[in-house]
Amino acid sequence: MSGEMTILGSAILALLLAGYLAQQYLPMPTPKVLGIDLGTTYCSVGVFHPGTGDVKVIMDDDGHQSIPSIVSFTEKDIYVGYEGLELADANPHNTIYDAKRFIGKIFSPEELEKESDRYQFKVVNNDGEAVYSIKTNETFTVTPEYIASQLLLKLKKMAEKYLGIPVSKAVISVPAEFDERQRNYTVKAANLAGLDILRVINEPTAAAMAYGLHKVDVFNVLVVDLGGGTLDVSLLNKQGGMFLTRAMAGNNKLGGQDFNQRLLQYLYDKIYSTYGSLPSLKEEIHRLRQSVEAVKLNLTLYNSSWVRMPLTLPAYRSSEPGKKVEEDRTQENVALNQKDESSEPQKVHFETEISRKLFEHLNEDLFQKILVPIERVLKEGHLGKEEVDEIVLVGGSTRIPRIRQVIRDFFSKEPNTSVDPDLAVVIGVAIQAGIMGGSWPLQVSAIEIPNRHLRKTNFN
Ligand SMILES: *[C@@H]1O[C@H](CO)[C@@H](O)[C@H](O)[C@H]1NC(C)=O
Ligand SMILES: *[C@@H]1O[C@H](CO)[C@@H](O)[C@H](O)[C@H]1NC(C)=O
Ligand SMILES: *[C@@H]1O[C@H](CO)[C@@H](O)[C@H](O)[C@H]1NC(C)=O
Ligand SMILES: *[C@@H]1O[C@H](CO)[C@@H](O)[C@H](O)[C@H]1NC(C)=O
Ligand SMILES: CC(=O)N[C@H]1CO[C@H](CO)[C@@H](O)[C@@H]1O
């Protein structure tokens, strides 16, 4: 009997040894499971390389690590990502974006109407679900999950090109606040793209994993995700290597676009006070918006930046709809303006310096608003701010130095910012995909405990 045990024991040992040697001497195993971040405005795909333990975020043909979540329909074809973005201006009614805001969601008629007013494409109410009406040389409707499937198909192809083999399995992330229905529809979208979803994980959990927090000894993790238009704050607890979402709060009307708007308003005021009129050419307004974004990005690195551009301004005083113009319209002024209306537009070279200090001053109240949902999740989680072990910052807007400082000052603690905030989620999902792909036989396979009863508090 004991002899048999020994033989069995030796056999097992031999097997383990063979496995170990195989890992050492066989060619690097190819990743088999994709990690996908299907974002509202951008999406990305990554893989975990079992051999090296590195995550690779896969690039498109032009070297982008993320593609815009945009799908544009024309008579000829369906254009996805950057190709869809290029068509957005020329084909606005058939160019769909923000599909993640609609996927798997049931709306009241009023809610859906209000939502669709924000877009140039047509949203139709189909028993409470949103569908998009497309009109090329034919008229048809598509669902949000179909839009998502086109994005996922593109990501899948990028990954297959990089890996050189077909892939059919993936792990995908969703916002922590997604209910079961929204999760199911996200999975359905992946299935339409020929992907089998092994696990759906929450975005904040993925971000925490990108920092390796599943492997170190921490208990309370706070994830702040500030993107282009929304703020999401999640409080996670780690229990025996598993993350549990304890509380969520956010503001779905706060993000990079709002900071740009403040700067744009400042420039309008400056132009008006210097030249007495405002740009009216669509092209110039577009370029002004682009330089606002460029200045904001530069100010994350430099103390000051410049806006420099030629403008063609109407000779008379114009007023922007909704803009407050100083009340200096004396009788004389009005007469002057009327006379000027027929004269040539003035061509000027507009140039102004924007310091980081000025940008911070213009946005200080908005930056302070970030603390509201943070305080809320601490209160809901019955946690003092000194009990938070790690603070993880995600989303492009967390690059703004003043925002980091507001958070650092509140916690008297350095937040975790070393991972690219635009890629933290996809990196974390790829790590989970590596675990699911069995890169190491004894890896745990689950990293998250679902919390079905949690609701998110919104502050707008
Ligand atoms: C629309 O155009 C495409 C390609 O130009 C063509 O294949 C399709 O049959 C056309 N559909 C209709 C209804 O004319
Ligand atoms: C989601 O999908 C699962 C499995 O297919 C199903 O059991 C469940 O009822 C679905 N839930 C909703 C809300 O659609
Ligand atoms: C920016 O300004 C701060 C003080 O206001 C100074 O300490 C820092 O060196 C400056 N950085 C650059 C790049 O000029
Ligand atoms: C941003 O910084 C780069 C590098 O210094 C510079 O070349 C570029 O002109 C700057 N852009 C703006 C809008 O200030
Ligand atoms: C400020 C900072 O970088 N904090 C932590 C970020 O996360 C790692 C865990 O991987 C910690 O070791 C750092 O101290």
Side-chain angles (χ1 to χ4, degrees):
M1 186 70 193
S2 84
E4 274 169 40
M5 287 295 280
T6 314
I7 292 166
L8 190 64
S10 315
I12 290 172
L13 206 65
L15 269 174
L16 283 175
L17 190 66
Y20 175 76
L21 290 175
Q23 292 226 356
Q24 294 283 302
Y25 297 111
L26 285 179
M28 289 283 197
T30 309
K32 290 180 206 68
V33 185
L34 306 179
I36 296 178
D37 168 15
L38 181 66
T40 310
T41 48
Y42 281 90
C43 41
S44 318
V45 57
V47 289
F48 180 85
H49 280 290
T52 57
D54 292 334
V55 168
K56 168 77 183 173
V57 179
I58 295 163
M59 290 186 275
D60 71 0
D61 289 338
D62 298 316
H64 302 110
Q65 290 183 303
S66 308
I67 60 168
S69 306
I70 300 180
V71 176
S72 189
F73 294 83
T74 72
E75 196 172 309
K76 278 206 220 108
D77 211 344
I78 302 175
Y79 297 88
V80 181
Y82 280 97
E83 290 173 27
L85 175 64
E86 271 171 29
L87 284 170
D89 280 339
N91 185 30
H93 305 297
N94 296 318
T95 301
I96 314 293
Y97 57 94
D98 275 3
K100 193 173 169 182
R101 293 171 52 99
F102 295 95
I103 197 166
K105 209 166 158 179
I106 299 282
F107 295 89
S108 72
E110 303 76 44
E111 262 180 329
L112 194 59
E113 198 157 314
K114 220 173 118 205
E115 278 289 325
S116 55
D117 279 348
R118 303 162 47 130
Y119 301 105
Q120 283 190 273
F121 49 78
K122 195 165 192 298
V123 185
V124 183
N125 188 339
N126 179 31
D127 273 340
E129 285 183 17
V131 297
Y132 309 107
S133 173
I134 306 295
K135 201 169 174 183
T136 57
N137 63 337
E138 334 176 28
T139 304
F140 53 97
T141 58
V142 293
T143 57
E145 55 276 19
Y146 180 77
I147 299 294
S149 76
Q150 292 298 310
L151 294 164
L152 291 164
L153 197 57
K154 171 113 185 172
L155 296 173
K156 179 174 181 269
K157 284 184 183 157
M158 279 161 56
E160 288 177 340
K161 190 168 176 195
Y162 167 77
L163 294 169
I165 51 162
V167 206
S168 63
K169 294 190 176 77
V171 174
I172 196 165
S173 58
V174 295
E177 67 188 280
F178 261 26
D179 63 19
E180 195 182 324
R181 197 167 194 279
Q182 290 167 300
R183 284 163 202 259
N184 277 6
Y185 273 70
T186 304
V187 171
K188 207 162 132 186
N191 296 156
L192 281 173
L195 286 170
D196 185 17
I197 296 297
L198 303 185
R199 173 152 289 138
V200 176
I201 74 168
N202 289 338
E203 288 162 6
T205 304
M209 288 177 71
Y211 281 96
L213 298 181
H214 56 300
K215 293 188 296 192
V216 298
D217 186 26
V218 292
F219 188 59
N220 296 310
V221 178
L222 188 99
V223 182
V224 179
D225 182 348
L226 184 63
T230 56
L231 167 67
D232 284 296
V233 179
S234 310
L235 178 64
L236 311 179
N237 272 171
K238 207 177 81 182
Q239 302 172 356
M242 308 266 248
F243 286 102
L244 173 70
T245 307
R246 279 282 299 278
M248 295 184 282
N251 183 336
N252 55 24
K253 295 200 176 72
L254 184 65
Q257 291 154 13
D258 303 285
F259 313 144
N260 286 14
Q261 194 56 38
R262 288 280 174 93
L263 191 49
L264 189 66
Q265 183 64 53
Y266 170 83
L267 293 177
Y268 269 45
D269 290 346
K270 186 106 185 166
I271 292 169
Y272 189 83
S273 67
T274 312
Y275 304 109
S277 59
L278 289 171
S280 57
L281 297 179
K282 214 175 145 188
E283 168 62 22
E284 289 187 352
I285 294 170
H286 184 64
R287 272 196 294 131
L288 207 51
R289 283 186 187 280
Q290 283 179 324
S291 58
V292 159
E293 175 72 15
V295 163
K296 179 181 74 177
L297 293 183
N298 266 20
L299 291 177
T300 64
L301 294 175
Y302 308 107
N303 280 341
S304 90
S305 181
W306 287 80
V307 175
R308 290 190 181 100
M309 60 182 286
L311 290 174
T312 312
L313 299 171
Y316 56 88
R317 290 194 168 229
S318 59
S319 59
E320 168 86 337
K323 179 188 182 298
K324 273 193 251 118
V325 168
E326 319 87 77
E327 295 295 334
D328 65 344
R329 295 193 152 228
T330 57
Q331 214 49 29
E332 193 187 15
N333 254 332
V334 171
L336 241 166
N337 291 335
Q338 281 165 352
K339 197 166 62 200
D340 276 1
E341 229 164 291
S342 56
S343 62
E344 290 288 299
Q346 25 172 354
K347 287 199 183 286
V348 303
H349 183 79
F350 178 62
E351 186 172 293
T352 190
E353 185 175 12
I354 310 288
S355 67
R356 187 188 282 178
K357 265 210 158 58
L358 171 64
F359 177 71
E360 291 171 354
H361 172 74
L362 293 171
N363 282 298
E364 186 59 22
D365 61 317
L366 297 180
F367 293 167
Q368 290 298 331
K369 273 189 176 179
I370 294 166
L371 297 177
V372 178
I374 290 179
E375 283 173 328
R376 173 63 181 230
V377 297
L378 292 177
K379 187 160 171 258
E380 271 182 31
H382 307 288
L383 214 64
K385 55 187 176 186
E386 65 291 341
E387 291 173 273
V388 173
D389 301 310
E390 294 291 351
I391 306 139
V392 169
L393 303 189
V394 199
S397 296
T398 61
R399 288 201 180 87
I400 295 174
R402 176 67 190 152
I403 289 179
R404 291 185 178 183
Q405 194 192 337
V406 165
I407 294 168
R408 185 188 300 126
D409 288 351
F410 178 79
F411 288 100
S412 309
K413 191 184 178 81
E414 201 59 42
N416 246 315
T417 55
S418 57
V419 176
D420 181 337
D422 286 320
L423 300 179
V425 171
V426 70
I427 290 171
V429 185
I431 293 171
Q432 173 75 72
I435 293 171
M436 299 299 296
S439 57
W440 189 248
L442 301 179
Q443 265 295 3
V444 283
S445 74
I447 276 296
E448 188 169 55
I449 307 169
N451 190 345
R452 293 211 162 77
H453 308 290
L454 205 59
R455 294 205 61 82
K456 177 178 149 191
T457 318
N458 238 314
F459 299 89
N460 289 329

